[in-house]
Every structure is written in C-alpha cells, then in structure tokens.
Amino acid sequence: MNQNNPIDVLYKEHELISKAEDAILKLNNTWVDHPSQFEETVDKLLTFFQEYADGLHHRKEEEVLFPALMDNPQFTLHEIIREFENHHEEFRSYVGNIQEAISKKNYEQAYKLLRSYSMDLRDHIAAENEELFVLAENLLDDSEKEKMFFLFKDIDMEAGESHLKKLAEILNS
C-alpha cells in the first residue's frame, strides 16, 4: 500500500468538515439570548467553510483529483464530476446567503440555511466517500496517487500549517 495516499487525505478532511454539523446543531435558538455570540460563531463557521472546506479541500478536488479522473481513460462517469462541481458552487452560494441573513439580523433564516447547508454537505461527503473516492482508489495507479499526494501537500503549504490548525480549532471551540 502506498503511504502517500491522497485519497486518505481527502477522507480525513471530510471527517473534520463533518464535525461542523455538531457545531451548527449547538447553535439552535442561541440567537434569542446571545445574538452577538451567535453571529460570532456563525462568522467563524463561515470562515471555516470558505477557507478550509472550499479554499483547501474543494480546491484539491477541483484542481487535482477531478482532472486526474477525467484524464483517466477508464473513468467514464464524467457527469458525476460535473455534479460534484455543481455541489461546490451551491455550497459557495449557501455561504453568501447565510452572510446576507446575518447582515440583516435574520438569525432564524441564517440558522435554517446553515442546517440545510450541513445536511447537503453531509450527503455530498457520503457520495464522494462511497462513490468517487472508491473509483479514484481503484483507477489511479501508485505513481498517479503519489503525484496527487504531493500536489495536495503543495496546497497545504500554500495555506500554511499554522493557519490550517487555526481553522480546525474553530470546530473545537
């Protein structure tokens, strides 16, 4: 087994991103008694989604994994890639809509959008884990996976290790 497995990296990132759902559930109705704390927590979550889930994880998928699969002659499910790319765009829209609701002090709407986002994200992660990553694991050879792994490392280094730790800590606070 290749120890530099990029698919394992993506699974681990999904595990971290999935923790956001717990943080979102804890927010239910907290805006009633603590609106500024609600706003602050939502802001941190949106930063996590923008910078970690999208800026790091989705970037790895869109710039590295998806092209590698599309270029593989054995990969024929090109529509699944487009579907996942569309999901990523929808997640970006969610963030903008949540920010808009917060700016209008419509906390209940912001929370409903966060819950919808987290449920859609959970479904998206399950589909990638159970379909796309399994395909990638089986179709890509060790040298392709190793190349992908180091491209992922480059993206991580660009983001900065301390910054990535700080983003992960958002979900632990």
Side-chain angles (χ1 to χ4, degrees):
M1 175 160 168
N2 181 355
Q3 72 183 43
N4 294 334
N5 190 336
I7 308 307
D8 289 343
V9 171
L10 296 173
Y11 280 124
K12 286 179 183 149
E13 290 173 357
H14 274 176
E15 284 176 28
L16 179 61
I17 293 166
S18 295
K19 288 182 177 181
E21 187 169 11
D22 291 337
I24 291 168
L25 289 172
K26 289 178 188 172
L27 284 172
N28 191 22
N29 289 320
T30 59
W31 60 85
V32 174
D33 294 326
H34 307 286
S36 61
Q37 187 176 357
F38 175 80
E39 266 192 55
E40 185 181 319
T41 303
V42 170
D43 187 54
K44 286 179 182 178
L45 284 168
L46 294 180
T47 296
F48 174 81
F49 288 133
Q50 288 176 304
E51 295 182 22
Y52 188 90
D54 192 42
L56 181 84
H57 179 76
H58 292 162
R59 180 177 169 204
K60 288 176 183 175
E61 291 175 342
E62 292 171 359
E63 293 180 10
V64 182
L65 176 65
F66 295 171
L69 287 171
M70 295 292 270
D71 290 345
N72 187 300
Q74 295 176 356
F75 184 76
T76 57
L77 302 173
H78 294 215
E79 64 279 352
I80 199 172
I81 298 291
R82 282 187 282 286
E83 185 180 326
F84 287 128
E85 288 174 330
N86 287 339
H87 290 173
H88 294 175
E89 285 301 320
E90 289 170 16
F91 296 142
R92 291 175 188 120
S93 293
Y94 265 122
V95 169
N97 293 336
I98 294 163
Q99 287 171 325
E100 184 180 340
I102 289 289
S103 73
K104 293 179 177 177
K105 308 287 187 203
N106 189 343
Y107 300 135
E108 190 170 350
Q109 177 65 15
Y111 183 72
K112 284 180 183 174
L113 288 166
L114 267 171
R115 287 286 295 133
S116 294
Y117 180 14
S118 76
M119 288 185 282
D120 288 351
L121 191 59
R122 181 183 33 187
D123 293 344
H124 172 82
I125 286 172
E128 284 187 341
N129 285 353
E130 296 165 15
E131 298 172 36
L132 190 68
F133 295 174
V134 173
L135 281 169
E137 189 70 58
N138 292 318
L139 291 178
L140 302 173
D141 65 33
D142 284 348
S143 68
E144 290 171 306
K145 289 179 198 169
E146 188 160 18
K147 179 182 176 191
M148 191 179 300
F149 178 83
F150 287 108
L151 289 171
F152 285 180
K153 284 287 183 205
D154 290 344
I155 291 170
D156 288 345
M157 284 175 41
E158 196 177 303
E161 190 177 325
S162 64
H163 184 64
L164 294 177
K165 281 183 182 175
K166 203 181 306 179
L167 290 171
E169 287 169 9
I170 288 172
L171 299 182
N172 298 324
S173 58

